[in-house]
Amino acid sequence: MTTAVLGSARVAGDRELLALLGRTPLARVSVDLPYPQPGFWAKLEGLGVGGMKARAAVSMLLGAEERGELRPGAPVVESTSGTLGIGLAFAGQALGHPVVLVGDIELEPSMRQLLRAYGVRLELVDRPAAEGGWQAARLARLGEVLALLPDAYWPDQYNNPDNTAGYASLAAELATQLDHLDVLVCSVGTGGHSAGISGALRRHWPGLRLIGVDATGSTIFGQPARPRLMRGLGSSIHPRNVAYDAFDEVHWVGPAEAVDACRRLARSAFVSGGWSTGAVARVAAWAARVHPGAVVATVFPDGPQRYLDSVFDDEFTTAHGVDPATAATRPVEIPYPQAVEATGWARCRTVTDPLATPPEENT
């Protein structure tokens, strides 16, 4: 692991930066993914300052300040695979808090450079934990960093209700931009934006269906935890922010499906992104196709720039055994999450909290 100097340079703060947050455009996407489909709406969070997770980052730090958990000028320490890190860098600059991020050596060099350019101090773990993989290794190192910085604040994005509350503005923007909505498709990592958006939008449209999109190898919805190539989507732990009862169904998507969708979006729609964007686009296009006449919307969490050396790089995908030509064109149906391990695109219409419901009760 790295041995970064954990001292904290003072950050002046500039709350006028908060005026830049949100108000992202909504795009109509009607490209073949892979089949012709009538189109869905995509909220382009990658065009907003700090990406989608800047909303959550600002909400978590403001909430901690209000409760007295985060003192003026105190450092913020968090574990991240990258996306929240950008959001916290923005929130730290705006609110006057130095930021220390614990990542891992699979964090892209370009993302490391960008985070450091924003003034973030990086700690990188160099091997995954035997149980829990990179995520568990990062959290273990995070505990060590917190012990060295006794005045620091840990947002704990996976279990912090202020994460969910931060997406109220996103829900309000969607409610203003759309006349009606039948189906909302959300990626699930911390569980924050799916819970925050769906609850608010159902007050406008009570019949709204929520489709969760997870990664193969993620344990969030009851599948076994496996090493995951896709970053920023899925989890090796069970976040408390996931609102299981809000979901009507869940889809697990593999790297080939996400890569294929990202590249099709880039070639034909000029809007694209990374793993989460490709995964939700695949499922949103499917939903628009199988529910004729339904208004379908999703959120593209970030743009493509971070993924030029992975999702959009043939050498990377070949080296990792990802062939977009083999991407599934429709999901396999499974009756309940523990019935079979999803190794590619799969769909399940039984959604339960895996920590609350024993597997045999799902049969």
Side-chain angles (χ1 to χ4, degrees):
M1 66 182 65
T2 63
T3 55
V5 178
L6 293 178
S8 301
R10 183 172 180 81
V11 177
D14 181 1
R15 298 205 173 212
E16 290 185 0
L17 289 173
L18 297 178
L20 301 174
L21 196 64
R23 296 185 297 279
T24 53
L26 192 68
R28 185 71 176 170
V29 178
S30 55
V31 301
D32 297 354
L33 290 171
Y35 295 126
Q37 48 95 15
F40 60 89
W41 294 102
K43 184 74 163 156
L44 305 183
E45 287 290 278
L47 296 181
V49 64
M52 179 182 76
K53 291 197 174 183
R55 299 180 190 260
V58 168
S59 176
M60 290 188 290
L61 298 198
L62 284 175
E65 286 183 345
E66 291 170 2
R67 293 187 297 272
E69 298 170 3
L70 175 59
R71 296 188 301 101
V76 173
V77 181
E78 182 60 288
S79 162
T80 180
S81 61
T83 307
L84 180 71
I86 297 295
L88 280 173
F90 170 78
Q93 284 194 26
L95 301 177
H97 298 281
V99 174
V100 180
L101 297 176
V102 180
D104 57 68
I105 58 172
E106 292 193 352
L107 185 66
E108 302 90 341
S110 60
M111 180 59 76
R112 301 183 201 184
Q113 293 167 356
L114 184 59
L115 288 168
R116 287 174 175 138
Y118 284 139
V120 166
R121 293 186 181 275
L122 276 179
E123 285 281 307
L124 300 178
V125 296
D126 58 9
R127 62 179 62 88
E131 293 187 11
W134 288 114
Q135 198 166 22
R138 294 196 306 263
L139 289 173
R141 179 58 182 147
L142 183 142
E144 296 172 357
V145 172
L146 288 173
L148 295 172
L149 296 172
D151 62 338
Y153 171 69
W154 173 32
D156 189 10
Q157 60 171 319
Y158 289 91
N159 304 300
N160 188 334
D162 289 331
N163 177 346
T164 299
Y167 295 106
S169 61
L170 179 51
E173 290 170 26
L174 282 168
T176 299
Q177 292 168 315
L178 293 169
D179 294 326
H180 181 71
L181 184 60
D182 297 300
V183 180
L184 177 66
V185 178
C186 285
S187 60
V188 184
T190 68
H193 91 276
S194 55
I197 302 173
S198 63
L201 290 183
R202 278 178 170 150
R203 290 193 285 272
H204 292 271
W205 304 297
L208 177 67
R209 291 182 58 81
L210 176 63
I211 300 177
V213 181
D214 199 1
T216 55
S218 166
T219 192
I220 293 176
F221 289 95
Q223 285 274 303
R226 299 284 186 254
R228 301 189 312 280
L229 180 63
M230 298 193 287
R231 299 176 69 81
L233 178 65
S235 177
S236 299
I237 62 176
H238 294 92
R240 290 200 300 270
N241 283 332
V242 178
Y244 290 97
D245 58 352
F247 292 95
D248 294 283
E249 61 185 87
V250 60
H251 290 232
W252 293 272
V253 174
E257 289 78 41
V259 168
D260 181 62
C262 286
R263 294 183 178 190
R264 288 174 181 270
L265 287 169
R267 285 195 304 267
S268 301
F270 209 81
V271 294
S272 191
W275 302 109
S276 297
T277 293
V280 296
R282 194 83 171 194
V283 175
W286 170 88
R289 191 171 68 247
V290 301
H291 298 292
V295 180
V296 178
T298 190
V299 179
F300 288 1
D302 59 5
Q305 292 82 3
R306 175 185 174 186
Y307 308 94
L308 299 180
D309 294 325
S310 55
V311 171
F312 298 97
D313 184 351
D314 288 341
E315 290 186 6
F316 176 92
T317 54
T318 298
H320 289 83
V322 177
D323 183 359
T326 66
T329 58
R330 58 177 59 84
V332 173
E333 297 275 347
I334 62 176
Y336 58 93
Q338 297 83 6
V340 63
E341 183 173 348
T343 57
W345 188 5
R347 175 197 187 201
C348 183
R349 285 176 277 183
T350 299
V351 181
T352 56
D353 182 344
L355 297 184
T357 305
E360 62 269 20
E361 293 186 12
N362 290 328
T363 58

